[in-house]
Amino acid sequence: MKIATWNINGVRARIDNLVAWLRDSAPDIVCLQEIKCQDEAFPRAEVEAAGYHVETHGQKGFNGVAILSRVRPDEVTRGLPLLDGDGEADDHARFMEAVFSVEGGAIRVCTIYLPNGNPASDPVKFPYKLKWMARLEAFAQARLALEEPLILAGDYNVIPEPHDCWDPKVWANDALFLPETRDAFRRIEHLGFTDALRAASDAVPAYTFWDYQAGAWQKNWGIRIDHLLLSAEAADRLVSAGIEKHVRSWEKPSDHVPVAGYFNFEFAVP
DNA sequence: ATGTCGACCCTCGGTCGA
């Protein structure tokens, strides 16, 4: 089974790319981020015609996530739980979880659009990112107790290591690379997750995003911020993983490319 | 690093978010 994550940067602007990629790449489950539309505006018919079930968690104008899958999930939950004591609700559509039946059990797949957090000096944005990461850590810890295959896939807006960006000096003060951000990401990993791409390959660079500006793609000024984190039960079933870099050279590309993991489990036959 | 892009609206251009 192939499970992929892709920040599509506007699903309505990218629907032709999405359908072409689904046909070429044939993923079984896709975690999308930044669909940038409400649920009713998602180009559902085109994706269903390509052979996918569609679950969305959208909002007007920005953010928004979706899960596309060859079979219908058994359960879907929208939104990342708040922490005990959190007062205000989070109105950003950044998280959805789906449970699928596979031969011998179930897998859980979450699509994650972690807050960007820039500018890091902003009194709201960077604290919101760190708080969201604390919520993700709590959620992840609770889910690990289930001892099931769990895949947390998405745009983490985290550059894990210096070799995951084209110039660490340029990114030193960026919310994607600040020590607090990397520490929070490591705390989640150290609960017991495997970074699928790094389990499959230690090759660098392994970028997943190139800015539209300044000719970043042509100069290979990229960063690695799209990740699949795997519970032990999922990592045990990982066969390989890869970055579908060629998609960045298509017409009207997203600034992110898909990242995929291949696992040796299959959907249960009903 | 800044050669851009998508979406929105008191809509054709400025603003926001990335």
Side-chain angles (χ1 to χ4, degrees), chain A residues 193-210:
Chain A
F193 286 95
T194 296
D195 178 334
L197 189 88
R198 284 300 173 224
S201 168
D202 53 10
V204 292
Y207 303 145
T208 66
F209 168 95
W210 294 260

Side-chain angles (χ1 to χ4, degrees), chain A residues 54-69:
Chain A
V54 177
E55 294 287 345
T56 61
H57 180 39
Q59 68 179 98
K60 185 179 280 199
F62 62 112
N63 303 325
V65 292
I67 297 179
L68 318 180
S69 51

Side-chain angles (χ1 to χ4, degrees), chain A residues 25-73:
Chain A
S25 186
D28 295 290
I29 301 173
V30 183
C31 295
L32 295 178
Q33 302 86 36
E34 280 206 274
I35 64 172
K36 292 189 175 180
C37 66
Q38 292 172 297
D39 295 336
E40 56 270 28
F42 191 97
R44 175 177 293 272
E46 292 90 330
V47 174
E48 288 175 349
Y52 291 85
H53 180 83
V54 177
E55 294 287 345
T56 61
H57 180 39
Q59 68 179 98
K60 185 179 280 199
F62 62 112
N63 303 325
V65 292
I67 297 179
L68 318 180
S69 51
R70 288 290 194 189
V71 306
R72 178 184 290 271

Side-chain angles (χ1 to χ4, degrees), chain A residues 34 39 43 67 103 111 184 212 229 238 243 248 254-255:
Chain A
E34 280 206 274
D39 295 336
I67 297 179
E103 289 168 0
T111 178
Y212 290 121
L229 294 189
L238 182 70
I243 298 168
R248 187 63 176 77
S254 171
D255 40 7

Side-chain angles (χ1 to χ4, degrees), chain A residues 101-163:
Chain A
S101 291
V102 297
E103 289 168 0
I107 60 169
R108 281 173 194 274
V109 178
C110 299
T111 178
I112 288 168
Y113 179 45
L114 205 146
N116 179 297
N118 278 308
S121 58
D122 188 282
V124 174
K125 291 184 175 182
F126 192 54
Y128 173 64
K129 176 177 193 152
L130 295 177
K131 183 63 176 288
W132 207 94
M133 294 183 83
R135 288 166 56 199
L136 181 60
E137 181 183 353
F139 171 86
Q141 185 160 33
R143 281 291 178 269
L144 283 181
L146 299 175
E147 300 186 350
E148 286 176 347
L150 169 68
I151 295 127
L152 305 180
D155 175 2
Y156 281 74
N157 274 311
V158 175
I159 300 166
E161 299 295 336
H163 57 241

